[in-house]
Amino acid sequence: KAMKTPRIIKLLFIRVIQLLGNLTKGVLYLHLLIFPKQRFIIPAISRPLIQAKSTKKIPRIIWQTNYTNVVTLPMYLNYIWNRLLTPTFEYRYASDEVCELFIRENFNARTYQNYQKIKVGAGKADFWRILTLHKIGGIYLDMDAAFCWPPEFFIEAEDEDIFLQNKDSSITNYCLASAPCNPKIAQIIELINDNIETNPNDSVYSMTGPIAVDKIIRSSSRSEEHTSELQSLRHLVCRLL
């Protein structure tokens, strides 16, 4: 089972991390102002720092994508922080080219062709994260997002998926976790395919993004079961950049 921690300790840890993140922003962007051309490289693959002694239905893999892995200091330190909080997880970064190749080799012609129809990079990243979680599983995390609590502590061995809520209770897609071959993820894929084919000029927020995820999860047969879990996980991931 995931490690249980007293609620007060968890809340204090999360608040301290969020406070430190906000305080650090100014220093990091001052560095960017002084050294505007300095960049750091995020590796394509980073193996687990510690071998886990148990298995979980959700694979211990952190997925991220961006148009480049050559990044500024704030983005690189965000990556380092996430690695420190996920020592039992493998890390994988996927470039645009890697994303396209993965979809071409692992999905049918319809899905690949619809992926190619997406004109906005964020929309392609939306679709890729869902397809990756369906095929391989793991945790997807936006590049500017950071864990405020170790996933090893809040993902139970039998969890099949985890979805996070915004303050307005809508479900976000900037962090998603799933076991492979999850029926709910398959439904999201089908909805995105339909959206691309019927509303190609719609915003990516609706066509491939959080609105599509929200629609399926709320209509799934297990949505009521996830409600309390969604609320309790709201502050476990945040945006520090």
Side-chain angles (χ1 to χ4, degrees):
K1 292 176 67 62
M3 185 179 295
K4 299 297 183 182
T5 304
R7 180 177 176 80
I8 185 63
I9 294 178
K10 181 188 296 185
L11 290 176
L12 284 173
F13 183 87
I14 292 170
R15 293 303 183 190
V16 168
I17 294 308
Q18 292 173 337
L19 176 61
L20 289 176
N22 289 328
L23 292 175
T24 305
K25 280 182 182 179
V27 177
L28 293 179
Y29 285 105
L30 179 61
H31 175 276
L32 185 61
L33 183 65
I34 298 174
F35 305 101
K37 296 184 179 180
Q38 189 170 18
R39 296 294 184 269
F40 303 83
I41 298 175
I42 293 176
I45 297 178
S46 176
R47 301 300 180 188
L49 304 175
I50 301 172
Q51 289 299 321
K53 296 181 180 179
S54 63
T55 60
K56 297 176 187 274
K57 286 187 176 181
I58 297 176
R60 289 181 172 90
I61 305 173
I62 305 297
W63 295 96
Q64 290 191 308
T65 186
N66 194 37
Y67 67 93
T68 179
N69 65 333
V70 181
V71 300
T72 60
L73 180 61
M75 189 74 74
Y76 184 72
L77 291 182
N78 203 53
Y79 156 76
I80 294 295
W81 171 255
N82 286 327
R83 290 304 290 132
L84 290 175
L85 261 67
T86 58
T88 56
F89 285 69
E90 180 176 315
Y91 173 87
R92 298 187 192 180
Y93 162 85
S95 64
D96 292 346
E97 295 76 16
V98 169
C99 291
E100 181 174 347
L101 180 63
F102 171 79
I103 296 170
R104 187 176 69 191
E105 292 183 344
N106 291 281
F107 292 89
N108 57 34
R110 178 199 181 201
T111 297
Y112 178 62
Q113 289 167 8
N114 283 334
Y115 174 81
Q116 289 185 304
K117 291 177 184 176
I118 302 171
K119 304 302 182 183
V120 180
K124 289 190 170 185
D126 285 340
F127 204 6
W128 168 82
R129 74 190 66 175
I130 298 298
L131 294 168
T132 298
L133 294 181
H134 183 66
K135 181 68 177 181
I136 302 175
I139 303 176
Y140 170 81
L141 186 69
D142 271 1
M143 293 290 288
D144 63 346
F147 290 113
C148 295
W149 192 249
E152 191 68 54
F153 292 0
F154 65 77
I155 296 180
E156 300 283 353
E158 297 302 311
D159 282 342
E160 296 184 355
D161 48 59
I162 290 178
F163 300 95
L164 306 186
Q165 284 181 317
N166 293 307
K167 291 182 179 180
D168 63 0
S169 296
S170 62
I171 297 172
T172 181
N173 73 336
Y174 78 83
C175 180
L176 302 163
S178 177
C181 302
N182 186 329
K184 289 192 284 295
I185 299 296
Q187 290 177 49
I188 296 172
I189 293 172
E190 184 62 25
L191 177 60
I192 292 175
N193 270 320
D194 288 344
N195 286 344
I196 294 170
E197 292 166 352
T198 58
N199 301 295
N201 296 319
D202 202 358
S203 71
V204 294
Y205 195 82
S206 300
M207 184 170 64
T208 61
I211 290 180
V213 174
D214 186 277
K215 182 176 181 179
I216 293 299
I217 300 310
R218 293 194 182 282
S219 64
S220 69
S221 60
R222 294 181 60 196
S223 60
E224 291 185 3
E225 182 179 330
H226 278 286
T227 301
S228 60
E229 186 175 19
L230 283 166
Q231 293 172 348
S232 67
L233 290 171
R234 184 183 297 167
H235 301 295
L236 299 184
V237 181
C238 57
R239 294 184 182 276
L240 296 181
L241 298 182

